[in-house]
Amino acid sequence: MSVSQLAMGGNINYPLEMNVFRAQQGDESLRNKIIESYQPFIKKVVSKVCNRFIDQTMDEFSVGLVAFNEAITQYRKGQGSKFLTFADMVIRRRIIDFIRKESRQVRHIYLDQTKTDEDNEMEESYVEQRAAIDYYEESCKISERMDQIDSYRKLLLEYGITFDVLSRHCPKHADARENAKISAKILVGHPELIRFLKKKKQLPIKDLLQFVSCSRKTIERNRKYIIALALIYIGGFSALTSYIEPESVPVH
């Protein structure tokens, strides 16, 4: 079975990600088919990390197989990357860890602990690989943040708020922004207030006043800002929670 035909019953209409999710549900036969079909991919990734040809008899290839299986188990929807991109990262991590472990064991054998040029080159390779992985992970975080900002923008529009409007309604004083943040957190802590907000697309000012120390005038003046903060919590925008500070919200 070719890679493009990998699916239950050889149906090419099943995307790889769907097959991965089916395998996660306990379809061991499908899991084995995925691993078998993607052995050339695994070998290619392992060879790149090791910077030399790797065949199926080598320990490095076995580590790659285990890592690919681990990727099948750990892959999740909505994490901002395709399965093969995620699998590539997992394999690289495990191979680098394996090489480091093997290198430490070999160095331990030599009592003089003298580093050769080859040792130094290997360590530099580790640094480069780790830097590449760190760069990839940061790129994934940026991609996830951009996706969440776009979803957040669309959600705000349902409440008649744009980023431009939000920037104009952002309180100028730090204490006012902090009070708005507190009000938003109090709102999301009460299901009845959340239901009102979602249904009416308006801030439940009257009910909210029962739980906050701010005046009605203050709440009304900052209502759009409070709604925007509350929606970050309600929408589960985990990549944006760092913006919920006295200084700013994601308006760019």
Side-chain angles (χ1 to χ4, degrees):
M1 180 182 298
S2 67
V3 170
S4 63
Q5 293 176 321
L6 177 62
M8 286 298 295
N11 190 332
I12 63 173
N13 294 322
Y14 283 88
L16 174 57
E17 283 72 20
M18 181 181 295
N19 281 305
V20 168
F21 296 136
R22 292 169 71 97
Q24 289 175 355
Q25 298 302 313
D27 192 332
E28 292 301 319
S29 175
L30 180 57
R31 179 185 289 261
N32 291 334
K33 286 181 181 179
I34 296 173
I35 295 173
E36 180 181 356
S37 296
Y38 280 89
Q39 285 190 18
F41 167 81
I42 297 169
K43 188 186 300 182
K44 180 179 179 181
V45 175
V46 174
S47 295
K48 279 186 176 181
V49 177
C50 296
N51 199 28
R52 61 190 173 89
F53 176 76
I54 298 295
D55 64 35
Q56 294 171 304
T57 66
M58 297 180 176
D59 291 341
E60 289 86 346
F61 179 74
S62 298
V63 174
L65 283 176
V66 173
F68 188 82
N69 184 55
E70 178 185 346
I72 293 176
T73 300
Q74 294 183 351
Y75 184 70
R76 296 292 181 268
K77 291 182 179 179
Q79 62 183 27
S81 63
K82 295 291 187 180
F83 170 71
L84 288 183
T85 303
F86 176 73
D88 183 291
M89 180 188 69
V90 175
I91 293 171
R92 287 176 182 271
R93 280 180 171 178
R94 297 295 172 256
I95 292 297
I96 290 171
D97 289 342
F98 172 78
I99 294 175
R100 283 175 170 167
K101 181 179 178 181
E102 290 296 302
S103 179
R104 284 196 298 268
Q105 291 177 349
V106 170
R107 285 200 299 269
H108 185 68
I109 295 175
Y110 296 96
L111 299 178
D112 60 9
Q113 297 292 307
T114 301
K115 290 184 178 180
T116 66
D117 291 340
E118 185 177 353
D119 292 329
N120 291 326
E121 289 177 3
M122 185 174 290
E123 289 189 0
E124 290 177 2
S125 177
Y126 294 155
V127 173
E128 291 174 357
Q129 291 289 348
R130 177 53 59 187
I133 290 176
D134 290 344
Y135 176 79
Y136 170 80
E137 291 178 337
E138 182 60 27
S139 297
C140 286
K141 290 179 182 178
I142 292 173
S143 176
E144 179 185 9
R145 190 178 301 119
M146 294 303 296
D147 288 343
Q148 290 196 15
I149 286 176
D150 185 57
S151 297
Y152 178 56
R153 177 186 61 80
K154 293 176 181 177
L155 181 59
L156 283 176
L157 289 176
E158 297 179 16
Y159 293 78
I161 303 174
T162 64
F163 284 164
D164 182 57
V165 168
L166 184 56
S167 65
R168 293 200 304 270
H169 285 80
C170 177
K172 293 181 175 59
H173 300 290
D175 58 344
R177 292 194 295 270
E178 181 63 17
N179 285 332
K181 175 185 173 182
I182 293 172
S183 297
K185 294 187 72 172
I186 290 175
L187 187 155
V188 299
H190 292 80
E192 68 276 11
L193 300 186
I194 294 177
R195 285 193 293 270
F196 183 100
L197 177 65
K198 288 183 175 181
K199 181 178 180 179
K200 302 291 186 180
K201 306 300 180 186
Q202 295 178 355
L203 191 67
I205 296 177
K206 181 179 178 181
D207 295 328
L208 183 59
L209 284 170
Q210 300 177 39
F211 306 102
V212 300
S213 58
C214 302
S215 67
R216 184 184 186 93
K217 182 178 180 180
T218 298
I219 294 294
E220 289 178 341
R221 182 169 60 247
N222 298 321
R223 62 183 178 82
K224 290 186 178 181
Y225 187 75
I226 295 173
I227 290 174
L229 291 177
L231 290 178
I232 291 180
Y233 290 115
I234 296 171
F237 299 113
S238 57
L240 306 183
T241 53
S242 61
Y243 290 92
I244 307 178
E245 298 295 337
E247 290 77 17
S248 63
V249 293
V251 295
H252 299 296

